[in-house]
Amino acid sequence: RKEVEQDPGPFNVPEGATVAFNCTYSNSASQSFFWYRQDCRKEPKLLMSVYSSGNEDGRFTAQLNRASQYISLLIRDSKLSDSATYLCVVNMGNAGNMLTFGGGTRLMVKP
Amino acid sequence: NAGVTQTPKFRVLKTGQSMTLLCAQDMNHEYMYWYRQDPGMGLRLIHYSVGEGTTAKGEVPDGYNVSRLKKQNFLLGLESAAPSQTSVYFCASSSPAGGQPEAFFGQGTRLTVV
């Protein structure tokens, strides 16, 4: 079983739609969680951290469920510019603050 | 404000050749990482470093060596390149300070081994 698992998609949605991604992680001792965004042929960039209480940044909402070991990302009112791959990232809390990446979920927003 | 810089950005190698990828960061970060990303797969950790002079193996270290002689630089070496090492390589850095360590990535090196 992969340490961090995501549905690879692609998710094809029309502009204005709401779309949600889930990610599961295997290590219950994981300490911190992130969503990164990666555009085609570019480096990953932090989209948002995920806090236990849930957090929102504009159209984006991230939530963490420690009991079930999953995190989610909700995007409301999708824009064409949201088209990208979204990477679920987990910090296991081990030496070096190593980040473990999921395989990514590809989102395509269409007019 | 350069952040994390990788050189070169592109390279084509013949099987058996060697090369070194350079990663430089100007954020005074303690931790540095090398990842590879293959089509349809997530980033996989090759090696990492928690400070100057220290390195450790990640998930897929075979065929690679690294050095961290200076805090700001992290070098990834391929001694004898193989076609299986064709990939996009990303360097990243982060700091242990603060509650939520964000990793900053370089722009990537696209390596093809023929």
Side-chain angles (χ1 to χ4, degrees), chain B residues 29-76:
Chain B
H29 284 168
E30 289 294 331
Y31 299 159
M32 296 187 76
Y33 316 85
W34 276 107
Y35 290 89
R36 62 176 288 173
Q37 186 175 34
D38 300 299
M41 299 185 70
L43 281 77
R44 292 182 293 168
L45 183 64
I46 304 171
H47 286 279
Y48 67 99
S49 168
V50 300
E52 182 179 319
T54 70
T55 63
K57 294 180 180 180
E59 181 186 354
V60 288
D62 294 341
Y64 305 95
N65 57 75
V66 288
S67 64
R68 183 104 181 264
L69 298 180
K70 293 183 178 180
K71 185 177 182 180
Q72 63 268 33
N73 295 336
F74 195 28
L75 278 63
L76 177 71

Side-chain angles (χ1 to χ4, degrees), chain A residues 24-36:
Chain A
T24 59
Y25 61 95
S26 61
N27 188 339
S28 60
S30 299
Q31 296 189 352
S32 49
F33 310 87
F34 311 89
W35 284 101
Y36 275 70

Side-chain angles (χ1 to χ4, degrees), chain A residues 32 34 36 38 41-44 46 49 51 87 91 95-99 101-103, chain B residues 31 33 35 37 41-43 45 48 50 90 95-96 100-103 105-107 110:
Chain A
S32 49
F34 311 89
Y36 275 70
Q38 186 174 26
R41 302 178 72 80
K42 299 286 188 181
E43 74 274 22
L46 180 68
S49 301
Y51 303 114
L87 302 170
N91 182 337
N97 278 331
M98 287 185 290
L99 300 178
F101 285 77
Chain B
Y31 299 159
Y33 316 85
Y35 290 89
Q37 186 175 34
M41 299 185 70
L43 281 77
L45 183 64
Y48 67 99
V50 300
F90 287 103
S95 172
Q100 297 278 351
E102 174 186 356
F105 285 82
Q107 292 181 315
R110 285 169 175 76

Side-chain angles (χ1 to χ4, degrees), chain A residues 28-101:
Chain A
S28 60
S30 299
Q31 296 189 352
S32 49
F33 310 87
F34 311 89
W35 284 101
Y36 275 70
R37 170 187 170 135
Q38 186 174 26
D39 293 295
C40 187
R41 302 178 72 80
K42 299 286 188 181
E43 74 274 22
K45 293 184 178 179
L46 180 68
L47 177 66
M48 58 197 306
S49 301
V50 187
Y51 303 114
S52 296
S53 56
N55 49 300
E56 186 174 311
D57 183 3
R59 297 181 293 108
F60 298 84
T61 301
Q63 292 194 314
L64 167 65
N65 184 319
R66 284 192 182 271
S68 300
Q69 294 182 207
Y70 78 83
I71 68 175
S72 63
L73 177 68
L74 181 77
I75 305 175
R76 291 181 297 279
D77 189 22
S78 299
K79 311 291 185 191
L80 295 176
S81 58
D82 293 334
S83 297
T85 297
Y86 291 84
L87 302 170
C88 173
V89 185
V90 176
N91 182 337
M92 302 291 183
N94 44 16
N97 278 331
M98 287 185 290
L99 300 178
T100 301
F101 285 77

Side-chain angles (χ1 to χ4, degrees), chain B residues 9 27-28 31 47 72 74 79 82 85 93-94 98 100 106 114:
Chain B
K9 291 187 171 48
M27 296 173 284
N28 201 35
Y31 299 159
H47 286 279
Q72 63 268 33
F74 195 28
E79 291 188 348
Q85 294 178 303
S93 70
S94 71
Q100 297 278 351
V114 297

